Each structure stands twice: as C-alpha cells, then as structure tokens.
Amino acid sequence: MRALVLNGPNLGRLGRRQPEIYGTTTHAELAERCVAWGAELGLDVEVRQTNHEGEMLDWLNAAADDGDAVVLNAAAWTHYSYAIFDACAQLTGPLVEVHLSDPHQRPEEFRHTSVVTPYAVEVVAGHGVDGYRMALERVARG
Ligand code: CA2
C-alpha cells in the first residue's frame, strides 16, 4: 500500500528552530526515517512538505482519487483551514493525524481545535518524530 506523509507550513525548518518543542531532527532526516519505517511495514512511503496551502490541497485531492493512505501533519492549518477540512472529508484511504508536540497541552487556545480530527482514524500527538512511526504502524494495521 502507498502511504503519503504530508507535512504543512514551517515543518521544513525542523531541527533548525525551537528544538525544545519540535526536537533536533531535520525534515530530510524525518523523511529518510519514514521511508525506512515504511519499508519495514510493507508500505511504499513518500514524504512531502509544503508552505503553500493550494499545493497541499492538490496533494490531498490526488490522494483521494488514488485511494492512498495519508499521514497528515497540517501544522498551523490544522487549527483553522476549512479547505483542509473539506479535502480530508473526501479522502478514500485511511487518514492518520500526527503532531510532533501535543497541541492540546500547549497554552495557545487556537491549538486546541483540529479540522483534521473528525476524519482521522487515529491522532498521534506529543511523541515527536517517533509519532510518525506510530502513524505508519496504524496505516499498516489497516
Ligand atoms: O506539533 C506539531 O507537529 C504541530 O503541527 C506543529 C505546528 C503547530 O502550528 C501545531 O500547533 C502543532 C507548527 C510547525 C512549525 O514547525 C517548526 C519547526 C521548526 C522550527 C520552527 C517551526
């Protein structure tokens, strides 16, 4: 099975800023690990990151057409984008929501809402980069 790992805005800066919240692993290292974990789990994993909401929507729409599983960290869009909400609603494969931090444990009220959660088979949050492995395991379990 194909699994897309889609990362939203600013996650390309992983490992370069705010390591106390997001850790020291770079996005390139995260992508390498996801591909390796996927291989162990029998998943064909592709990792992408974008700062452009339209590009993310195009990826989600294509995943819906192709029936791909999606592991989604929509980053800040998680909390307010109804376009992402509508795109998630159309997915045909399993959707797992992932966050490096646990947005519900953070002080900013705006992080306590997610437009992705209503369509996710599971939410993995607060486990750092390992959360992506947990999300891929959930996809592989079916
Ligand atoms: O914890 C997560 O994975 C988040 O999705 C990360 C988002 C944040 O808006 C969500 O509330 C929770 C922010 C991503 C910013 O990523 C950076 C990474 C390194 C340095 C600066 C920003």
Side-chain angles (χ1 to χ4, degrees):
M1 186 195 259
R2 211 163 107 91
L4 294 175
V5 175
L6 303 181
N7 288 321
N10 298 312
L11 287 166
R13 295 175 61 75
L14 270 184
R16 301 181 210 288
R17 293 278 185 282
Q18 297 182 282
E20 68 286 1
I21 302 176
Y22 300 118
T24 54
T25 304
T26 65
H27 190 272
E29 290 165 345
L30 168 67
E32 257 177 47
R33 284 188 214 174
C34 286
V35 170
W37 287 325
E40 286 170 19
L41 294 164
L43 298 171
D44 180 12
V45 170
E46 190 176 326
V47 183
R48 303 179 193 157
Q49 188 275 327
T50 184
N51 291 333
H52 303 276
E53 191 175 6
E55 186 166 42
M56 177 64 84
L57 295 171
D58 288 345
W59 292 344
L60 290 169
N61 290 174
D65 288 343
D66 297 344
D68 291 332
V70 174
V71 170
L72 177 62
N73 185 346
W77 294 326
T78 302
H79 310 305
Y80 68 87
S81 171
Y82 297 119
I84 298 284
F85 175 84
D86 285 342
C88 289
Q90 294 173 45
L91 288 172
T92 47
L95 166 66
V96 181
E97 177 178 358
V98 66
H99 298 284
L100 294 153
S101 66
D102 184 349
H104 288 281
Q105 300 305 319
R106 295 179 63 177
E108 301 93 345
E109 275 283 321
F110 77 85
R111 294 190 204 276
H112 301 170
T113 295
S114 168
V115 301
V116 177
T117 299
Y119 299 107
V121 294
E122 189 165 320
V123 180
V124 181
H127 296 279
V129 165
D130 270 354
Y132 285 77
R133 180 179 46 75
M134 296 159 76
L136 289 167
E137 284 170 353
R138 177 63 183 80
V139 168
R141 273 203 302 278

